[in-house]
Amino acid sequence: MRSQLAQRLQTASLSSVPPPKLSPEYSSTLEELAAHILYLSPLPSAAGLPVFILNAEAFPDSKEVDYSILLPYVLTRLPNEEELISGRGYEVVFFAGGGGDGATAVKKGRPGFGWFIQAYNVLPRATRKRLQKLYIVHEKSWIKVLLEVFSTIGSPKFRRKIFHASTLTGLALHLPIEDLLIPPSVYLHDRTLSRDVHAPYASGRRAFGARQSLPTSSEGKRRLPRVLREATSFILRGSNIKTEGLFRISPHSRLADVLREAYDRGQKFIIWQEGYTIVCYPEPDIDSSRPSIENIGLKEGYGIHLAAGLIKLWYKNLREPLFPPETYRHLRNLSADDESPIDLKRLTDLISPESKWSPLSANARTILTTHLLPLLSTVADHEEANKMSSFNLAICFAPALLCGPDAIEDAKMGAIVRRILEALIEQWNPSLRDACHVSKEDFLYALRAPSRTADYEDPLFSSSPAGSSAEQTQSTPSDPQLYGIALVDNEATLASDEDDRPPLPPRRRPSVQATGIERSKYDDSVDSSEKDFSPQRRPVTPEKFVQMSHVNPSITKRKPAPTVAAPPRYSLATLEGFDQSGSRDPITDDIESTPAINASSAEPTPLSPRLMDDRSEQRPFSNNTPVPARKPVSSQESKSLAG
């Protein structure tokens, strides 16, 4: 009783206003914790309303933190009453998953339902009325019970504002999730419920395994894809490049899959975090993203090893590897002597963009000189801190550069590619770089964020309409060695441009033997010397058909039906060929008796002469003429005939 009374007194004293920041009662720890729980998404909704993200994974344990003191810090992050009265309202996306789903997960305590009811009553009236939509994702049982309580004690209109979604794919049907700032913990919880996240008109292949590995900018120049630009910039930022085991330590597999999917979906806000460094590379025209990103805690970012693993994953998923199987023979000749190092001239002929004898494609040489070799050379320069020499980097990257159809052959070529890549890294700075006519500023310029919004995101070819100018510009290769066989929808191509349809093959005209007439006799447009082949076939008019029928009457006549043979007639002598003694008559030995067939039985049954006489009088011929009755032959007449 005392504990219940103390809890009631405590909930009755809830406040929606935190202490002043200059007062000693103000807690910066609770303010940082509130920033993890509730924050403003950088982009507004489709209706132009602000969208707030409520993350249940960031809820602390009720045994460690007093929720009554934490509540005012959370409510201050919502719009105040003056803003709501002058504005149109706001929307909330509540990620209710996480926190105690697995057997090894840490179970967090939460306050009772009575506390939630008191907190609902503490909310200002404008805050409750101006809530336009509430999206609940990964809903749990206790959330359902709490919503039923709020619908009972609150306004009946509250139920109409709620939208339920079991996964992020379901949420994408209500609003564009690529515009939201989703924490990594939400992605990990969604992976336990769904294999992937699919957003309509957004998901596809933008970065990993894309049709065009290096997209074309609006100025017509080749540029790095967004994933390489952001991940490489984060690695080179501050002391991140000195991280020990860079490109060697494997990242979190689920988070790497989440990031790969996010870049292919075109997620606009991806936060990178390492230590106290938090970085996000938003679109150029988004100015309100920086304050919101700074308010998110350091626990909600992706680390340096994820950035390094994502770069290796991009090279591994190239549609055409940098070293295809067609180059294996040339690479063996290049590295035939294991004792002597590979000279600079042969390496220049291999990777230089201006080389005319290189077995590598122009796209592969551009990627090597623009991104891969400058990055690995810069990492190898900090070998003392990160413990990654050119030999170690070549071992880590060699398997990602080989992706042929024969895995055994790729394994044999691994040592050769590793030796060639090690020589390229060691001689890149500055001799090989100068020989390829590439400067250090070119690498830094390729990593800059684009100044135009159209160049920020990589193109999505599968979502572009057929025949659009943007797709034609992006999908047209400048080098014939860039791509292999491209699958094109023939039906969509013909439907978009009907004038370019190929002509039909010529059809054979009916010959003189089939029609009985010459074509030039009734067709003035056809020369008599013309052959029986024409690109177009003219239809036969009724008048021309009548003329053709007079010349060859067989055209209008049908082929007669085949004649049907008459059934064999039965001989009465075969049945009267027995004398009274039971011996067979010699005249009947040469006559084949034909028994009658019973309609109700499959076996033939003999008929008496009298019965046959009665039936013979009623049996018609095939031409419906009556059969004349035949006189039976007696035994004396048969004996006389035999004598």
Side-chain angles (χ1 to χ4, degrees):
M1 292 294 295
R2 292 182 178 179
S3 60
Q4 295 178 359
L5 181 60
Q7 185 177 3
R8 289 182 180 180
L9 292 176
Q10 186 178 6
T11 55
S13 61
L14 292 179
S15 175
S16 60
V17 180
K21 291 187 177 182
L22 300 179
S23 65
E25 299 178 358
Y26 188 84
S27 175
S28 58
T29 304
L30 295 179
E31 181 186 10
E32 181 181 354
L33 184 58
H36 299 167
I37 298 174
L38 183 66
Y39 58 89
L40 177 64
S41 187
L43 291 180
S45 63
L49 303 178
V51 180
F52 289 88
I53 307 297
L54 182 60
N55 186 16
E57 178 66 25
F59 287 174
D61 193 350
S62 60
K63 299 178 182 179
E64 301 177 357
V65 178
D66 189 356
Y67 272 68
S68 300
I69 303 176
L70 177 63
L71 180 62
Y73 293 91
V74 178
L75 296 181
T76 52
R77 305 187 65 82
L78 292 173
N80 54 36
E81 191 170 358
E82 296 179 357
E83 296 176 354
L84 293 175
I85 292 176
S86 60
R88 293 182 295 174
Y90 64 100
E91 299 178 4
V92 175
V93 179
F94 180 25
F95 296 110
D101 286 336
T104 59
V106 179
K107 307 293 182 180
K108 295 182 181 180
R110 62 175 182 271
F113 291 103
W115 183 89
F116 286 103
I117 296 175
Q118 293 291 333
Y120 179 78
N121 294 327
V122 167
L123 291 176
R125 186 178 183 277
T127 304
R128 289 179 289 179
K129 296 298 181 181
R130 290 293 183 177
L131 176 62
Q132 302 299 324
K133 293 181 181 180
L134 174 60
Y135 302 95
I136 302 179
V137 191
H138 308 148
E139 189 176 17
K140 292 187 176 182
S141 57
W142 69 275
I143 299 293
K144 297 180 181 179
V145 175
L146 196 60
L147 291 177
E148 292 294 334
V149 173
F150 287 164
S151 301
T152 303
I153 65 176
S155 175
K157 300 179 182 179
F158 179 73
R159 191 186 297 271
R160 305 175 187 173
K161 303 177 181 179
I162 301 176
F163 298 87
H164 302 272
S166 58
T167 58
L168 291 177
T169 303
L171 180 63
L173 301 177
H174 299 281
L175 74 166
I177 61 174
E178 60 271 12
D179 295 343
L180 300 178
L181 185 56
I182 303 177
S185 57
V186 176
Y187 286 117
L188 292 178
H189 180 75
D190 190 78
R191 271 293 186 273
T192 61
L193 305 175
S194 177
R195 296 178 57 184
D196 55 0
V197 179
H198 178 74
Y201 309 104
S203 297
R205 290 187 178 272
R206 296 177 183 269
F208 296 89
R211 183 187 307 173
Q212 192 173 3
S213 54
L214 295 179
T216 306
S217 63
S218 58
E219 300 176 355
K221 300 180 180 180
R222 310 300 296 275
R223 62 175 180 85
L224 293 178
R226 178 191 170 196
V227 56
L228 291 186
R229 188 176 64 244
E230 294 185 0
T232 306
S233 300
F234 182 66
I235 289 176
L236 301 179
R237 187 182 182 91
S239 60
N240 293 339
I241 197 172
K242 299 180 181 180
T243 304
E244 185 176 352
L246 193 61
F247 292 109
R248 179 175 56 83
I249 299 178
S250 300
H252 195 287
S253 59
R254 285 190 177 182
L255 284 179
D257 191 25
V258 164
L259 276 177
R260 178 193 59 80
E261 196 175 67
Y263 275 106
D264 280 338
R265 187 173 56 251
Q267 200 73 26
K268 296 182 179 180
F269 300 98
I270 297 177
I271 299 178
W272 299 96
Q273 174 267 332
E274 186 67 27
Y276 292 97
T277 303
I278 179 170
V279 183
C280 183
Y281 304 95
E283 293 185 1
D285 57 347
I286 298 178
D287 299 331
S288 60
S289 60
R290 180 62 58 184
S292 299
I293 293 173
E294 291 178 352
N295 291 335
I296 297 178
L298 301 178
K299 300 178 181 179
E300 304 298 330
Y302 302 97
I304 184 66
H305 294 294
L306 275 172
L310 215 61
I311 294 176
K312 290 197 300 183
L313 186 62
W314 185 87
Y315 280 98
K316 186 177 181 180
N317 290 340
L318 284 175
R319 285 198 174 188
E320 182 184 358
L322 297 185
F323 299 100
E326 295 80 10
T327 63
Y328 288 175
R329 182 178 180 181
H330 186 276
L331 297 179
R332 290 191 184 97
N333 298 333
L334 183 63
S335 181
D337 191 0
D338 297 340
E339 298 181 357
S340 59
I342 306 176
D343 57 350
L344 179 62
K345 184 180 183 303
R346 301 179 68 183
L347 293 177
T348 305
D349 295 338
L350 178 65
I351 68 169
S352 177
E354 301 175 357
S355 177
K356 298 181 180 180
W357 305 101
S358 176
L360 304 180
S361 63
N363 185 59
R365 285 174 280 156
T366 303
I367 295 175
L368 284 171
T369 56
T370 305
H371 179 262
L372 183 61
L373 293 180
L375 173 62
L376 298 184
S377 177
T378 307
V379 174
D381 293 341
H382 300 80
E383 179 185 355
E384 297 180 358
N386 53 34
K387 310 298 182 185
M388 295 300 296
S389 61
S390 58
F391 177 78
N392 296 336
L393 291 173
I395 290 179
C396 295
F397 265 90
L401 306 182
L402 298 172
C403 190
D406 191 355
I408 299 178
E409 188 68 19
D410 293 344
K412 295 179 180 178
M413 289 295 301
I416 299 176
V417 174
R418 178 201 56 77
R419 184 170 179 270
I420 295 175
L421 186 59
E422 180 184 1
L424 291 173
I425 298 174
E426 291 179 350
Q427 303 185 32
W428 174 255
N429 192 11
S431 55
L432 184 58
R433 183 184 63 194
D434 296 339
C436 295
H437 304 284
V438 178
S439 62
K440 185 178 180 180
E441 288 73 16
D442 294 341
F443 175 56
L444 300 178
Y445 179 79
L447 298 179
R448 292 180 182 177
S451 57
R452 299 183 180 182
T453 307
D455 299 336
Y456 170 78
E457 192 57 68
D458 300 330
L460 180 62
F461 297 97
S462 58
S463 297
S464 302
S468 61
S469 59
E471 180 177 355
Q472 294 175 0
T473 303
Q474 295 291 346
S475 60
T476 303
S478 59
D479 181 44
Q481 302 181 16
L482 288 179
Y483 310 106
I485 300 176
L487 300 179
V488 183
D489 190 359
N490 293 332
E491 296 181 358
T493 305
L494 294 178
S496 61
D497 193 357
E498 298 182 357
D499 298 336
D500 295 340
R501 292 182 178 182
L504 294 176
R507 297 183 179 181
R508 187 178 184 85
R509 284 276 189 162
S511 60
V512 178
Q513 291 79 7
T515 59
I517 60 173
E518 297 181 359
R519 295 172 55 213
S520 59
K521 185 175 183 180
Y522 297 105
D523 195 351
D524 299 336
S525 61
V526 181
D527 188 15
S528 58
S529 61
E530 183 183 355
K531 295 184 179 180
D532 289 337
F533 294 94
S534 178
Q536 296 182 356
R537 185 176 182 180
R538 298 182 179 87
V540 180
T541 60
E543 294 78 5
K544 186 180 294 186
F545 185 80
V546 172
Q547 296 174 359
M548 295 168 60
S549 63
H550 287 295
V551 177
N552 190 1
S554 62
I555 297 177
T556 59
K557 294 183 179 180
R558 298 180 59 183
K559 185 178 181 180
T563 59
V564 180
R569 299 181 62 182
Y570 296 98
S571 176
L572 300 178
T574 59
L575 300 177
E576 296 289 341
F578 295 90
D579 56 357
Q580 296 178 356
S581 61
S583 60
R584 187 167 181 82
D585 226 346
I587 192 172
T588 60
D589 295 340
D590 298 332
I591 301 175
E592 181 180 358
S593 63
T594 305
I597 304 299
N598 189 4
S600 62
S601 175
E603 298 180 359
T605 57
L607 300 177
S608 63
R610 183 61 183 170
L611 184 59
M612 292 188 63
D613 292 342
D614 297 339
R615 290 193 176 185
S616 62
E617 296 176 0
Q618 301 176 359
R619 180 182 302 168
F621 280 114
S622 60
N623 55 357
N624 297 330
T625 59
V627 180
R630 300 184 60 183
K631 183 179 179 180
V633 181
S634 61
S635 59
Q636 290 78 7
E637 294 177 355
S638 62
K639 288 181 180 181
S640 61
L641 292 174

